[in-house]
Amino acid sequence: MAADVYMMADKEGDGDSDIGVKLDTRPKTKRPPLYKVLILNDDYTPMEFVVHVLERFFGMSHAQAFELMLTVHKKGVAVVGVFSFEIAETKVAQVMDFAQRHQHPLQCTMEKE
């Protein structure tokens, strides 16, 4: 959104000879912050279920999902994607709801990048 600013210079004694200079000022816009979506390891959720979640909600291939599941298993946590706040929030809610409906304690969280 650009704001237009006009500066007027008036010559002495002649009110009809105004000179206008148009300046465009653009506000500095910052990119919205991004959020990391994380999957946490637990001792109960089957590895196959985690792979399925990664494929279904994060669009990963089976090979990508399997690799990331192993990272979660070995390191305890892994970033599964980086998104705007609304998308990250939706993905976390979808994963948590899906895990709960299938009676798995899988945890999915988000944090600012």
Side-chain angles (χ1 to χ4, degrees):
M1 167 172 22
D4 294 333
V5 178
Y6 292 96
M7 293 178 24
M8 304 302 282
D10 187 18
K11 292 183 181 176
E12 284 185 36
D14 187 5
D16 294 331
S17 302
D18 293 338
I19 300 170
V21 178
K22 181 180 174 184
L23 301 175
D24 280 343
T25 58
R26 295 181 187 259
K28 300 272 186 201
T29 54
K30 286 197 287 187
R31 290 180 178 262
L34 294 176
Y35 290 80
K36 297 185 282 190
V37 174
L38 305 132
I39 295 277
L40 305 167
N41 188 45
D42 64 72
D43 293 332
Y44 304 102
T45 304
M47 291 179 176
E48 299 81 24
F49 184 79
V50 176
V51 170
H52 179 68
V53 164
L54 295 172
E55 291 171 345
R56 179 173 178 160
F57 297 106
F58 298 94
M60 294 183 187
S61 70
H62 186 75
Q64 291 170 321
F66 190 82
E67 282 296 314
L68 198 58
M69 175 277 298
L70 287 178
T71 301
V72 172
H73 183 68
K74 291 175 186 171
K75 296 188 175 181
V77 65
V79 175
V80 295
V82 179
F83 308 96
S84 67
F85 178 81
E86 292 80 10
I87 293 173
E89 185 178 52
T90 299
K91 291 206 179 276
V92 167
Q94 288 174 329
V95 169
M96 294 297 291
D97 180 58
F98 190 71
Q100 190 173 17
R101 282 190 284 125
H102 289 85
Q103 300 180 343
H104 293 300
L106 181 66
Q107 293 294 303
C108 184
T109 62
M110 61 189 265
E111 65 182 38
K112 203 170 195 175
E113 188 176 46

